[in-house]
């Protein structure tokens, strides 16, 4: 049984209507129908997670019923027979989280093809999350998926894209160091965004990691 057939059977077993299930998990019924017709392997990561949560299963459990060994991202088909599972933080950068990313224990997992992460494939310290806002939209637009490798300020180099927080205000920017100042630069086509400059001794500033890759949604 393929993942798609498995999902279909679970929906039909637990729900009297696929339309009602789609509304329950917050996606359009036409989107759900398209997923079930084209295959779960071609659906977005977010939609697969919504379907799994709605059915009370984890994305990890799908690996045991999968005979669909490809995913499609940005028009490119990847072989996911060689893949690893990583933490997925269910929040967006810049969301002003009330707790630190590093201490989160409640998270989902996602399967990412080794081809997408290259030399970082299999590194279990990596986690994924979404970008919120347009302060880096010259590189990746709002809602893009980013992979973050935890690093300290000593590990970060000029020009690295980093996730940082100041008084729980989370953001992603390009990092530079100038003497005792740490500079976080936007990369946006909107001129309203400005540099943020902090002292390296600022106890309220935390570097959570650097962005090692990102997956862009174009629609």
């Amino acid at each position: 049984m393929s993942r798609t057939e498995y999902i279909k059977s679970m929906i039909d077993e637990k729900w009297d209507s696929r339309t009602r299930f789609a509304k329950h998990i917050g996606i359009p019924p036409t989107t759900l129908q398209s997923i079930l017709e084209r295959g779960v392997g071609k659906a977005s990561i977010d939609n697969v997670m919504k379907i799994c949560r709605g059915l009370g299963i984890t994305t990890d459990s799908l690996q045991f019923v999968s005979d669909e060994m490809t995913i499609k991202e940005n028009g490119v088909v990847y072989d996911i027979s060689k893949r690893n599972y990583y933490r997925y933080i269910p929040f967006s950068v810049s969301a002003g989280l009330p707790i630190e990313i590093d201490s989160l224990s409640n998270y989902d997992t996602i399967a990412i093809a080794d081809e997408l992460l290259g030399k970082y494939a299999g590194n279990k310290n990596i986690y994924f999350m979404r970008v919120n806002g347009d302060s880096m939209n010259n590189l990746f637009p709002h809602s893009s998926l980013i992979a973050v490798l935890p690093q300290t300020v000593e590990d970060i180099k000029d020009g690295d894209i980093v996730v940082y927080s100041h008084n729980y205000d989370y953001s992603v920017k390009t990092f530079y160091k100038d003497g005792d100042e740490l500079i976080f630069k936007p990369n946006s086509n909107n001129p309203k965004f400005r540099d943020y400059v902090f002292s390296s001794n600022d106890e309220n500033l935390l570097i959570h990691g650097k962005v090692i890759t990102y997956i862009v949604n174009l629609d």
Side-chain angles (χ1 to χ4, degrees), residues 93 101 146 148 161-165 170-172 206-209 211:
V93 182
I101 291 174
I146 60 174
V148 183
I161 301 171
V162 302
V163 175
Y164 73 95
S165 64
Y170 283 75
S171 191
V172 56
L206 294 174
I207 304 290
H208 297 280
V211 177

Side-chain angles (χ1 to χ4, degrees), residues 42-96:
K42 296 180 176 64
S44 72
I45 292 170
D46 278 353
N47 282 339
V48 172
M49 288 182 171
K50 288 178 181 178
I51 291 170
C52 288
R53 282 195 292 266
L55 294 172
I57 62 175
T58 66
T59 53
D60 287 359
S61 65
L62 294 183
Q63 65 179 307
F64 300 111
V65 292
S66 175
D67 64 5
E68 299 170 21
M69 302 309 293
T70 62
I71 59 173
K72 187 175 183 180
E73 289 289 351
N74 301 329
V76 179
V77 177
Y78 295 95
D79 178 6
I80 62 169
S81 58
K82 295 180 180 179
R83 65 193 189 277
N84 281 280
Y85 286 81
Y86 303 90
R87 290 177 294 163
Y88 176 80
I89 308 301
F91 304 102
S92 297
V93 182
S94 299

Side-chain angles (χ1 to χ4, degrees), residues 2-50:
S2 71
R3 282 184 292 168
T4 303
E5 292 302 320
Y6 177 67
I7 290 294
K8 284 181 181 178
S9 66
M10 289 197 69
I11 294 173
D12 293 342
E13 178 183 337
K14 295 185 176 185
W15 290 79
D16 58 7
S17 165
R18 291 181 182 177
T19 297
R20 286 186 58 202
F21 175 71
K23 292 179 179 179
H24 172 73
I25 63 175
I27 66 175
T30 53
T31 299
L32 177 63
Q33 183 62 28
S34 176
I35 291 170
L36 298 181
E37 289 177 354
R38 299 176 60 218
V40 173
K42 296 180 176 64
S44 72
I45 292 170
D46 278 353
N47 282 339
V48 172
M49 288 182 171
K50 288 178 181 178

Side-chain angles (χ1 to χ4, degrees), residues 193-213:
F193 293 106
R194 58 183 176 81
D195 293 355
Y196 287 86
V197 182
F198 304 98
S199 167
S200 59
N201 298 318
D202 191 330
E203 296 181 354
N204 295 313
L205 177 67
L206 294 174
I207 304 290
H208 297 280
K210 72 174 182 178
V211 177
I212 58 169
T213 194

